[in-house]
Amino acid sequence: MQVTASEVLPEGLEIGVKDGKISCIGISLPSSASTKIVDAEGAYITPGGVDSHVHLAQKNAPTGDGWETGSRSAVAGGTTTIIAFASQQREDTSLYPVLKDYHAKAKNQSYCDYGFHFILTNPTQNILDQELPVLAKEEGITSVKLYMTYEAMKLNDREILHILFTCKALGMTTMIHAESHDMISLIIEGLERNKHTEPYFHAVARPRIAEDEASYRAISLAELADAPMLIVHMSSEVAVQHVRDAQTRLLPIHAETCPHYLFLLSEKIKGEPHDHFSGAKHVCSPPLRHDPKDLEGLWQSIANGTFTTFSSDHAPSKYDAVGGKRLGLMDGIPRFSKIPNGLPGVETRMPLLFSQTPACLPVEKARLSLPRFVQLTATNPAKLYGLDGMKGSIAPGYDADLVVWHSAGRGARTITQNLLHHDIDYTPFEGIHVGNWPRYTIIRGNIVWDQGEGVVGEMQYGQYLKRGRGQVLTGKTGGVARGMLEGERKYWL
């Protein structure tokens, strides 16, 4: 049965594919001796996953996945499109060399289709006025990510405002990592002064209130600029409530969360009894939260529509490797502030969420519907990042990117490291049972993952995607910020 963002279509419908595109959907479609037929055997078919938050081959993660291994892992888990980050360094005064370098890393190295976001850390006037308009039009890079924390990457509020105005004019999507840098820095200094430096204290150093405050501030900046914004990897129920309140006022504020914030708690960062430093495997930012109520709050926001996208934030470093997570073990002394942030998850993202739908659970226990699964994992990110009409849906004219799941009662597995295809030496989801796993992953009509045979696609098959303007999926622009008069912006813009 085919699943779209709005409905589950009747059983028995066939999908016709020609030249990599979906040509038609119907019953008893014509075929010939040369027609390749894939029998779904009554299983669900969903659009290929669009993972819009993936870190590959980044300089700050020398032991992380490159394009070959990261994209291989993606297709094995049902993701057919990834959007990764070309990261500007503070000293970079132009984005063109950044883009050239990142294109070189990805070219002929990807099993799946891909696009880029820019991470902006030095948003000069020339970059905003001259480079971004050209790069959006000619290269199809129509999204940027900003940081409110990390010394090497954080921007101040005024810089963020300038970028919001620029991106709004260009139809670009602005993503933001919202945590209060000053709160976190003060707490880290106190923890280190008091010799509380084991991995678990990473979660103590970045309390929920740091995300709550920064999320509210980010929304306020977007409201002043009358600009759309996506707050990435949200982990706090209170911060998500800020988004919900903004959406209720029809502000164009989007929200993203990730698997680790739905399935894991900070207890994991304490590590094994015989090796407390092993908790470093679960260090990410924002951190895993302490209270199961936070998980429940996020699940409610998954179901009620507050979250726009569900991404992996695949940003791993190996655990037992020079330059990996063990950077936080200095002369035998743990230093949580030196542990590279990030977790692997591009392969497990789709199965983890699919397992919470009625395809795998009784209806009364399911946390989200099948159409909602499709919205979060494929349709919404495709629309938000300028891929609508190409990716994220099962409809004529779209790329034939599909996931064929196993039929009822088959396909269940327990996630273990030895079953995964990334180049990382652990998975934070070790031992979690999922009710299904992709049987086939299909990109542009070609099977690239067959669970019986493994990855069967070619590394060079993935194509770079020139993206269009992103859509506003929640709220609308053109509003008046609270307390301002109609037309007040014209006096200072």
Side-chain angles (χ1 to χ4, degrees):
M1 289 177 285
Q2 300 165 41
V3 186
T4 71
S6 59
E7 60 190 341
V8 180
L9 298 176
E11 189 172 356
L13 289 178
E14 299 171 349
I15 303 172
V17 176
K18 184 178 181 180
D19 298 329
K21 299 281 188 181
I22 297 174
S23 60
C24 58
I25 297 173
I27 298 173
S28 301
L29 297 181
S31 63
S32 67
S34 62
T35 303
K36 183 174 182 178
I37 297 175
V38 176
D39 185 357
E41 299 179 359
Y44 288 106
I45 303 173
T46 60
V50 179
D51 193 342
S52 53
H53 193 150
V54 178
H55 298 267
L56 298 176
Q58 289 196 213
K59 292 179 180 178
N60 63 349
T63 69
D65 271 315
W67 277 91
E68 177 185 356
T69 58
S71 64
R72 179 183 69 199
S73 187
V75 301
T79 290
T80 56
T81 299
I82 56 178
I83 311 180
F85 295 92
S87 184
Q88 181 194 28
Q89 307 298 308
R90 287 282 198 209
E91 64 272 14
D92 294 332
T93 57
S94 171
L95 295 178
Y96 289 109
V98 176
L99 178 59
K100 182 180 179 181
D101 177 62
Y102 209 58
H103 264 308
K105 290 178 178 178
K107 187 176 181 180
N108 296 326
Q109 295 291 308
S110 183
Y111 286 89
C112 63
D113 291 348
Y114 63 95
F116 301 152
H117 312 285
F118 277 123
I119 292 175
L120 297 183
T121 59
N122 183 20
T124 66
Q125 204 64 47
N126 182 66
I127 286 174
L128 297 183
D129 294 345
Q130 304 299 322
E131 295 192 359
L132 281 185
V134 175
L135 290 165
K137 181 179 180 181
E138 296 184 359
E139 291 284 342
I141 301 178
T142 53
S143 49
V144 299
K145 183 182 179 184
L146 318 177
Y147 286 83
M148 300 175 80
T149 188
Y150 299 134
E151 196 61 52
M153 309 177 86
K154 69 182 179 73
L155 303 178
N156 61 42
D157 290 356
R158 186 161 182 168
E159 290 171 316
I160 292 170
L161 281 168
H162 281 309
I163 294 168
L164 284 169
F165 280 116
T166 298
C167 289
K168 177 191 173 185
L170 295 173
M172 298 179 70
T173 299
T174 301
M175 311 159 71
I176 193 158
H177 177 139
E179 288 184 290
S180 171
H181 181 78
D182 289 336
M183 284 187 186
I184 292 166
S185 297
L186 181 145
I187 296 171
I188 289 176
E189 289 174 7
L191 288 169
E192 291 181 340
R193 184 173 59 250
N194 293 322
K195 301 188 183 337
H196 298 308
T197 60
E198 290 195 347
Y200 178 74
F201 288 100
H202 171 79
V204 176
R206 308 180 89 95
R208 202 177 72 170
I209 194 172
E211 182 182 348
D212 300 342
E213 182 277 332
S215 297
Y216 186 85
R217 180 157 43 100
I219 293 168
S220 299
L221 297 174
E223 184 174 7
L224 180 67
D226 185 30
M229 173 185 285
L230 171 79
I231 304 179
V232 298
H233 48 48
M234 300 195 76
S235 67
S236 164
E237 181 183 6
V238 173
V240 175
Q241 186 60 51
H242 293 329
V243 172
R244 186 70 170 176
D245 292 343
Q247 292 172 347
T248 301
R249 294 189 291 116
L250 298 183
L251 294 180
I253 305 299
H254 306 93
E256 169 200 271
T257 196
C258 310
H260 36 286
Y261 300 123
L262 296 177
F263 290 91
L264 305 175
L265 289 168
S266 63
E267 189 74 17
K268 288 283 188 180
I269 316 176
K270 292 181 178 179
E272 302 296 332
H274 62 282
D275 180 10
H276 292 308
F277 189 77
S278 65
K281 296 177 181 178
H282 292 86
V283 166
C284 58
S285 293
L288 304 181
R289 297 304 178 192
H290 305 310
D291 195 331
K293 292 179 182 177
D294 277 303
L295 272 63
E296 187 56 37
L298 297 186
W299 277 114
Q300 290 178 9
S301 295
I302 283 280
N304 69 20
T306 303
F307 283 118
T308 309
T309 63
F310 177 74
S311 305
S312 68
D313 191 9
H314 183 80
S317 292
K318 288 186 177 71
Y319 173 67
D320 196 12
V322 175
K325 294 285 190 180
R326 287 189 174 274
L327 282 174
L329 197 59
M330 306 175 72
D331 297 324
I333 299 173
R335 302 281 186 184
F336 72 83
S337 62
K338 305 300 181 184
I339 298 171
N341 277 269
L343 306 177
V346 69
E347 186 169 348
T348 47
R349 176 186 74 113
M350 296 273 283
L352 282 165
L353 195 62
F354 191 78
S355 289
Q356 300 301 310
T357 72
C360 300
L361 294 173
V363 173
E364 65 274 12
K365 292 185 178 180
R367 291 186 176 271
L368 72 162
S369 69
L370 280 159
R372 183 75 179 122
F373 168 82
V374 169
Q375 290 171 22
L376 288 162
T377 60
T379 308
N380 284 357
K383 290 180 177 180
L384 188 67
Y385 294 107
L387 292 171
D388 191 31
M390 182 189 304
K391 303 290 186 182
S393 190
I394 302 176
Y398 280 74
D399 285 357
D401 291 4
L402 306 167
V403 181
V404 180
W405 299 85
H406 287 83
S407 53
R410 298 167 53 199
R413 64 160 60 178
T414 298
I415 296 173
T416 59
Q417 164 64 14
N418 67 316
L419 293 176
L420 302 181
H421 296 77
H422 56 207
D423 188 34
I424 306 302
D425 53 2
Y426 75 98
T427 170
F429 305 106
E430 186 77 33
I432 293 180
H433 179 81
V434 291
N436 210 322
W437 197 272
R439 180 178 168 214
Y440 298 115
T441 303
I442 299 171
I443 301 178
R444 288 179 276 113
N446 285 327
I447 296 174
V448 295
W449 161 258
D450 177 336
Q451 192 176 15
E453 299 181 35
V455 176
V456 294
E458 296 181 357
M459 185 175 64
Q460 297 84 359
Y461 185 64
Q463 295 181 352
Y464 174 73
L465 301 172
K466 182 178 178 181
R467 296 180 286 125
R469 293 166 67 102
Q471 295 184 31
V472 174
L473 304 182
T474 298
K476 60 182 180 179
T477 57
V480 178
R482 287 178 295 183
M484 290 174 62
L485 298 174
E486 186 75 38
E488 191 172 324
R489 290 187 185 93
K490 69 182 181 182
Y491 294 112
W492 47 270
L493 277 179

